[in-house]
Amino acid sequence: MIVALHGVEFFAYHGFYPEEQKLGSRFVVDIEVEFIPANDIAEDDLNNTVNYEQLYEIACEEMKLTKKLIETVAQGIINNIVKQYDFVDVVKLTINKLNPLIGAKTKSSSVTLTYNK
């Protein structure tokens, strides 16, 4: 089973350069969490799955912590998901930084990290 959030938007202050950490940027996060339910999903019980609202909260809290690298931010989100949901088998997470400061018009830069149990 896969539970996912796609296109979650944040404004945050991640970036290697001081001006990025001062001015901030827009980011878009995609999270996919794969697992085998321990109990029958037909029980209609939130405890038998991954709560996508909780995934959002985990991402939101990590996005508030200014980092130089979006790789570090992504790893922090994955670490917290795995801590919250120790039964997950795979977490795939992509962070897109919109309009990065690279000296040319660029839609986004991104990093994708994958955790495999």
Side-chain angles (χ1 to χ4, degrees):
M1 173 174 291
I2 296 174
V3 172
L5 288 176
H6 299 285
V8 183
E9 296 185 24
F10 295 96
F11 189 87
Y13 297 89
H14 308 301
F16 182 77
Y17 300 105
E19 60 267 23
E20 292 177 296
Q21 292 186 8
K22 184 178 180 180
L23 299 173
S25 266
R26 291 177 37 228
F27 296 85
V28 176
V29 177
D30 297 315
I31 306 170
E32 290 186 3
V33 179
E34 187 173 340
F35 61 99
I36 297 172
N39 297 306
D40 187 0
I41 291 298
E43 292 176 5
D44 203 26
D45 185 347
L46 189 57
N47 293 316
N48 294 340
T49 189
V50 172
N51 181 342
Y52 58 79
E53 186 175 16
Q54 186 62 37
L55 292 179
Y56 168 76
E57 290 299 326
I58 290 169
C60 189
E61 288 305 309
E62 197 65 31
M63 291 299 288
K64 290 178 185 177
L65 305 173
T66 300
K67 305 284 183 183
K68 289 182 181 178
L69 303 176
I70 56 176
E71 292 89 331
T72 308
V73 179
Q75 188 64 60
I77 294 170
I78 288 174
N79 291 347
N80 284 312
I81 290 170
V82 172
K83 183 193 262 185
Q84 177 78 26
Y85 298 104
D86 62 354
F87 57 86
V88 301
D89 297 314
V90 178
V91 179
K92 182 178 177 184
L93 186 126
T94 299
I95 299 178
N96 293 285
K97 183 175 189 175
L98 305 182
N99 304 309
L101 298 176
I102 62 169
K105 184 175 179 175
T106 305
K107 182 178 178 180
S108 68
S109 61
S110 69
V111 62
T112 299
L113 275 69
T114 302
Y115 161 86
N116 291 290
K117 192 177 228 180

